[in-house]
Amino acid sequence: MLQAAYAPYRLALRFEARTSRAIMHHKDTYFIKIWDDSEPEIAGIGECALFRGLSADDVPDYESRLSQVCRNIVNITDLEDIGLSSIIFGVETAMADLLSGGKRIIRQNRWSNGDMRLQINGLVWMADRDTMLKRIQEKLSDGFKCLKLKIGGIAFHDELELLRSIRENFSPDELEIRLDANGAFLPSEATGKLDALSEYYIHSIEQPIKAGQIKEMSDICRKSPIPVALDEELIGCRDYDAQSMLLDAISPQFIIIKPSLCGGLSASSRWISLARQKGIGWWATSAMESNIGLNAIAQWVANFNPKMPQGLGTGQIYENNITSPIRLASQWLSYDSNGNWEIPELEWLR
């Protein structure tokens, strides 16, 4: 009979991570372990990657609901019945891992076999102007051909100056620049700011205004000189018809898929299917998961054989991440099939 338990884990950031929403020094997450009591030595492990302050799952009774799922794991036949996206993601990936014999293989493919690399963007977090410039230079020195800059946290003229300094040295053919505003712009100022940013040949901008302003976002997507990508707009939208109506109403150029915030891997695949039907581009990003969650997302993404950089570079930001076979070399994320997973001693709860 199936059994399950969960364990809380606090990930410590190597630096102060700032977005337009908040400043973070750590991130709390949960691991879930599923096993059959006839073979307790073989267990699948997933990550219930709650993202406080952003996820629709940020509810006061989150841990008690996770505990209830663990105690009732044998009776779960439809993952959607779980309700909370991050727990669906954790259970779904833990079950897939269990089926692989507890070897952390969620999707058997060329990436998990070590025969394929995924290109990723270099993520530059918000900071003061000099710190951001230093981080940009480090990413460029590391060989990244696509940078993603979080904006909205410092003076806009300083952000423009950063972009100007990049473009003085790297043409659009040499370096792709993506921006993530995390909803920092007011609808009334968005057009003017997008016009100013467009002088620097920007590939795309994620979520220029806060989610939930459908008409305003639609207007921005129609008028913007920079392609717009929806991110937070997708969170909590789980009904297929509602998803289709959202994409039709806004008509973005791209969507950004975070599986732990978008209902898990299967639900995220539905977003991709919808986007393709409507001629909308997509890429996936991690949502600050540990290597457990990042591994699952990378294996899932690899099944689609993506041709554009993915947002899967957050594995290096923690001091106490889970030791894994995931390797990051320059802009390439790979899996060392000869590497080892080292799961620390955790306090498993029911």
Side-chain angles (χ1 to χ4, degrees), residues 93-340:
T93 53
M95 288 297 295
D97 183 19
L98 178 61
L99 291 174
S100 79
K103 297 177 181 178
R104 316 285 95 86
I105 300 300
I106 312 304
R107 297 286 190 275
Q108 188 82 48
N109 52 40
R110 291 176 59 227
W111 191 83
S112 60
N113 290 339
D115 299 325
M116 171 187 177
R117 301 184 300 176
L118 289 170
Q119 186 182 8
I120 65 170
N121 61 237
L123 178 59
V124 180
W125 290 86
M126 287 180 185
D128 60 80
R129 180 184 179 280
D130 290 342
T131 300
M132 286 190 73
L133 183 58
K134 179 183 177 183
R135 289 174 179 170
I136 289 168
Q137 291 170 338
E138 289 172 349
K139 293 295 183 185
L140 296 175
S141 296
D142 287 342
F144 282 90
K145 303 300 182 185
C146 174
L147 291 186
K148 173 181 168 179
L149 280 65
K150 287 187 174 288
I151 63 171
I154 62 175
F156 187 62
H157 64 81
D158 283 338
E159 292 172 336
L160 293 177
E161 178 62 21
L162 284 170
L163 292 170
R164 184 191 65 78
S165 66
I166 295 173
R167 281 294 176 234
E168 284 181 346
N169 295 285
F170 298 90
S171 72
D173 291 335
E174 295 173 305
L175 179 68
E176 180 178 293
I177 299 176
R178 300 173 177 175
L179 301 177
D180 184 1
N182 286 126
F185 300 164
L186 296 174
S188 59
E189 66 184 8
T191 299
K193 288 190 171 183
L194 290 169
D195 285 342
L197 291 166
S198 69
E199 295 183 22
Y200 302 103
Y201 302 95
I202 305 302
H203 171 270
S204 57
I205 183 165
E206 296 180 34
Q207 206 69 45
I209 63 173
K210 289 182 179 178
Q213 303 174 88
I214 306 300
K215 181 182 183 302
E216 292 83 353
M217 185 67 88
S218 176
D219 290 343
I220 289 170
C221 288
R222 189 174 67 255
K223 299 174 183 176
S224 175
I226 301 173
V228 174
L230 301 186
D231 181 359
E232 287 90 341
E233 207 77 58
L234 309 186
I235 297 172
C237 185
R238 300 269 290 280
D239 177 77
Y240 183 87
D241 290 337
Q243 292 170 344
S244 182
M245 290 172 62
L246 177 71
L247 296 184
D248 287 342
I250 296 179
S251 295
Q253 285 77 25
F254 298 100
I255 60 172
I256 312 300
I257 302 169
K258 295 182 171 76
S260 61
L261 302 182
C262 291
L265 301 181
S266 296
S268 295
S269 296
R270 291 197 297 271
W271 273 116
I272 292 174
S273 177
L274 267 175
R276 286 175 167 172
Q277 292 172 28
K278 299 175 186 298
I280 296 169
W282 68 275
W283 64 87
T285 74
S286 52
M288 297 184 70
E289 293 89 354
S290 76
N291 280 336
I292 294 288
L294 178 63
N295 173 61
I297 297 170
Q299 291 185 24
W300 167 76
V301 166
N303 267 5
F304 293 95
N305 194 26
K307 303 303 182 184
M308 64 193 310
Q310 303 293 298
L312 303 178
T314 56
Q316 307 297 306
I317 66 176
Y318 297 118
E319 293 180 350
N320 61 336
N321 208 338
I322 305 301
T323 300
S324 78
I326 298 173
R327 304 287 182 258
L328 179 61
S330 181
Q331 60 175 338
W332 299 104
L333 192 74
S334 61
Y335 191 88
D336 180 1
S337 58
N338 295 316
N340 295 313

